Structure formats: C-alpha cells, structure tokens
Amino acid sequence: MTVSYELLRVPSRRLESPLSWCIFGILLGALELLLPISSDACGAPPRFNSMKVKGNPATSYNTGDKVEYECRIGFRIIVPPLPTSTVCQADNTWTPPLQEACTAKSCPQLPEPINGHKIYANGTFVFGSQVHFFCDEGYYLLGTKILYCELDGKNVAWNDNPPRCEKVLCQPPKQIPNGMYTNSHKDVFEYNEVVTYSCNPSNGSDQYSLVGESRLVCSGPNKWSGDPPECKVIKCAYPVIKNGKLVSGIAKKFYYKSLITVGCLAGFHLKGSNTAVCGLNGTWEPKLPECIADVPTTVRTTPSTSRQPAITTTVKSSKPAITTTVKSSKPAITTTVKSSNQPEVSFPSDDSPTKEDGLDGKLFAVIVLIYLALQ
C-alpha cells in the first residue's frame, strides 16, 4: 500500500539561524507522528495442537515472511505429509492456510492378561490414552490397575509394567476355643471354599452355643468373609408367666436362640408378644408377656310385653260339651261348644292369620266335625 503526502511549501530563503533549524526539526517530528502506520505486516501465525512454530515466533511479520512449523513432543508427521510452512501476504493473510500436520505417537499395544482382560479407555493406545486391567472371578490383580501412555524423552511409553492376575487363595482360618471347623487339615483354601464351625461337647452340665456366623467363605486373597464365631455357655431363666403357660418350646433348660411360644389360662388375655427367643445376654427377647384378667361383660335383655288375649268361641249343641286344646307358639285361644243338656266344651284357637294358624284352624274344624258325627 502506497501513501503520498504533499510537503508544506516553505520560503526558499536560507535557514541560517540555529533557531530556524530547531523549528524545522520540530515540524518534521510532528509530521511523522501524523502519518499513518503502514499496514503491510501480518499478525501472529495460527496456532495448532499438534505442531508449533520453529524457533522463537515474532509479534508481527512483513509481506513475504515465511514461517515453518514442527511437531510438538509426543506427535509425529502424518503420512503422507501435509504442508508445514506458510507465507505472509500483502493482504495480511497467511498462504497457504495450514491444518494439523502431525498426529499423536502410539505406545506399544499390550497383550491380554492371562485369566483377565484389558480395556482402552478411549479405544486407542496413542499418547494420552489409558488402559484398564481386570481379572476373572477367582483371580486378583497384582500390579497397577491403570496405565497411562506418557512422554519418554522424545517418544512415548506406558508409565508402568502391565499387571497380572493371580489365583485367589486363603490361609486357614483361626481356631476357636471349645470349637472346630471343617477341613481343618488343609493348609490352603481356594476361592469360594467354605468352612463350617461347630462347638465341642461340654464336659459340664451346660452345653456350648455357637455365637456368630457358622460358615466362612474364602472371598479374596487370604481374606475370609467374616470373623470366626465363639463357643460360649448362654442360658436363659425358665420362663414363668403368672396365669400363663408354655405352648411350645418346652424344655428343662433354655440356651442361646431357644424359641418359645406362650399362652394364657382361661379368663385371661395376653399383653405382649406370644413368642420369645433366648438372646445373647441370657435374657428373653422380647420381654416375656403378661396375662391380664378378662373383664366380665353384662348382657341386658328386655322382656316382651306383647301378649294376645284369649279369644273364646262358643258353638251351641245338644251334646255334652268337649274341650280340646291345640298346642301353638301363640297365646292359647279357647273355643267353647255349648250343649243344652251338657256342660260347655272349649276349644283353644289362634286368631293370628299366619300359615301355622291356618293349620290349627283346619285341625279345629276337623275335631268339631268328628265330635258332631259321634253324637
């Protein structure tokens, strides 16, 4: 870019005095400050992740300046290679435009561990990658579980040796006083192998109870699933419940984990749980219940006041009077047959128009007919 300026015309007279030369110098300096700065230079060249400018980069570049790039540490040139240099142009651009011309270096590919497997975290084993190792069930990892592909001078390498998978084995578990465990003759136990503890017979009047887990499993390298149990004498007092009785679990002595069921006598009801277990501290858990006396209840009845009056029916006849009584759940109704020469005959009846009453009436009519026929 070219910029032209027209200088100020000054008289052609000769500048002879020192003051004149000083004023002229000041004018020239001011003129330089007023002139625009040339815009023919390029700014800093572009930056890349895999490569950098060779040497020390400048802050600005002139037209025609060339910049060359090289791969950063841990990276190498892509094959086939791409351009790695560019030139500052008059329009303040870099030509040709560049792209990443380097790629990450790779660490050696690792073999699969015996009785295990590996997983590359990002699917590759290039610079910056991770590899994770795992073992099959029954084996444990001996060594570093995660390896990193890191710088090693100008190259890259894994930061440690690959681990290996060892078989899980356990040393024999602890012996316990007054007890023993199965396969106690073995020196080594394999993964998931089980030992079972039990208590020895007691020489005294009370037996031993096993407190804790009876089965232990080899779950890791020299690691059992829990602590060994204990063999102790734990006894609970005989369960006495006032106005109550034992329903099940009856025994002379009650040891650890003995289970009982209780109930109450007639006229009493239970307050609390009907089951209890002899606990670790030699007490019944939960606390034994109580038998509480039942409260008698009063049943009130109201006597019926509805009664029907007796109804008397008189039948006139010359025959002696005969009295017949018909049984019914209803109040008795008497029917009387009168004769002119004999005393009257009464027949109980019912005036309620129910099905049973109809049967009673029919029976009464039959009796009257039989009586009259016999006269």
Side-chain angles (χ1 to χ4, degrees):
M1 180 182 294
T2 303
V3 181
S4 61
Y5 298 91
E6 184 177 354
L7 297 176
L8 296 175
R9 294 181 179 274
V10 295
S12 60
R13 66 184 183 86
R14 189 175 180 180
L15 300 175
E16 297 180 352
S17 66
L19 180 60
S20 299
W21 283 105
C22 181
I23 294 173
F24 182 72
I26 293 173
L27 290 174
L28 288 177
L31 182 62
E32 290 182 1
L33 293 175
L34 293 175
L35 291 175
I37 300 175
S38 175
S39 59
D40 292 340
C42 291
R47 292 178 58 85
F48 298 93
N49 293 326
S50 64
M51 55 187 186
K52 63 179 181 177
V53 176
K54 286 184 178 180
N56 296 321
T59 56
S60 63
Y61 295 84
N62 297 321
T63 302
D65 288 347
K66 182 179 181 180
V67 172
E68 291 190 5
Y69 287 84
E70 63 181 353
C71 293
R72 296 180 185 272
I73 297 176
F75 294 83
R76 58 177 176 81
I77 293 291
I78 293 176
V79 179
L82 298 175
T84 57
S85 62
T86 184
V87 178
C88 176
Q89 305 298 316
D91 60 353
N92 299 334
T93 62
W94 293 93
T95 303
L98 300 181
Q99 57 181 323
E100 301 281 358
C102 301
T103 185
K105 294 181 179 180
S106 297
C107 284
Q109 189 170 2
L110 299 172
E112 291 286 340
I114 300 175
N115 300 313
H117 63 281
K118 69 180 187 303
I119 296 177
Y120 291 106
N122 56 359
T124 65
F125 43 91
V126 298
F127 173 57
S129 298
Q130 303 176 19
V131 57
H132 298 240
F133 291 86
F134 304 89
C135 290
D136 299 336
E137 187 176 4
Y139 294 83
Y140 70 98
L141 203 65
L142 187 61
T144 305
K145 181 177 181 180
I146 302 176
L147 299 185
Y148 300 90
C149 184
E150 297 179 344
L151 291 175
D152 184 15
K154 291 185 178 181
N155 294 316
V156 294
W158 297 107
N159 66 322
D160 204 346
N161 294 322
R164 64 179 187 270
C165 294
E166 296 287 341
K167 191 173 184 179
V168 172
L169 297 173
C170 290
Q171 296 296 321
K174 292 181 180 180
Q175 296 282 357
I176 60 172
N178 304 314
M180 57 184 178
Y181 60 84
T182 55
N183 293 326
S184 57
H185 62 281
K186 298 182 66 172
D187 295 329
V188 177
F189 293 83
E190 296 186 356
Y191 175 71
N192 268 349
E193 193 167 355
V194 178
V195 297
T196 303
Y197 282 85
S198 60
C199 293
N200 298 330
S202 173
N203 294 326
S205 59
D206 294 319
Q207 66 184 39
Y208 291 114
S209 296
L210 192 71
V211 180
E213 292 294 331
S214 61
R215 298 173 71 255
L216 298 185
V217 182
C218 177
S219 58
N222 201 26
K223 180 182 178 182
W224 292 93
S225 57
D227 295 327
E230 296 180 84
C231 287
K232 302 167 63 176
V233 175
I234 300 177
K235 188 167 58 173
C236 286
Y238 194 93
V240 177
I241 303 174
K242 186 178 180 180
N243 300 314
K245 61 181 179 179
L246 282 178
V247 177
S248 64
I250 301 172
K252 293 181 178 180
K253 295 182 180 180
F254 298 88
Y255 296 101
Y256 179 56
K257 290 188 176 180
S258 294
L259 175 65
I260 60 171
T261 304
V262 299
C264 291
L265 301 177
F268 296 86
H269 64 274
L270 203 66
K271 180 182 179 182
S273 174
N274 68 332
T275 61
V277 178
C278 183
L280 186 61
N281 296 323
T283 58
W284 292 104
E285 299 174 358
K287 184 180 177 182
L288 293 177
E290 298 179 64
C291 286
I292 308 299
D294 295 335
V295 178
T297 56
T298 303
V299 179
R300 295 183 179 181
T301 58
T302 303
S304 176
T305 57
S306 61
R307 297 190 63 180
Q308 296 181 355
I311 300 176
T312 302
T313 303
T314 303
V315 179
K316 293 184 178 181
S317 173
S318 60
K319 303 297 182 180
I322 301 175
T323 301
T324 304
T325 302
V326 180
K327 293 184 178 180
S328 172
S329 58
K330 302 293 182 177
I333 299 176
T334 303
T335 301
T336 304
V337 181
K338 290 186 177 180
S339 175
S340 57
N341 301 322
Q342 301 294 334
E344 62 182 11
V345 181
S346 298
F347 298 91
S349 183
D350 192 349
D351 62 348
S352 178
T354 63
K355 184 176 180 180
E356 293 180 357
D357 298 339
L359 293 176
D360 294 343
K362 290 179 181 180
L363 181 59
F364 166 73
V366 172
I367 294 172
V368 170
L369 292 175
I370 294 173
Y371 170 76
L372 294 175
L374 294 176
Q375 298 301 315

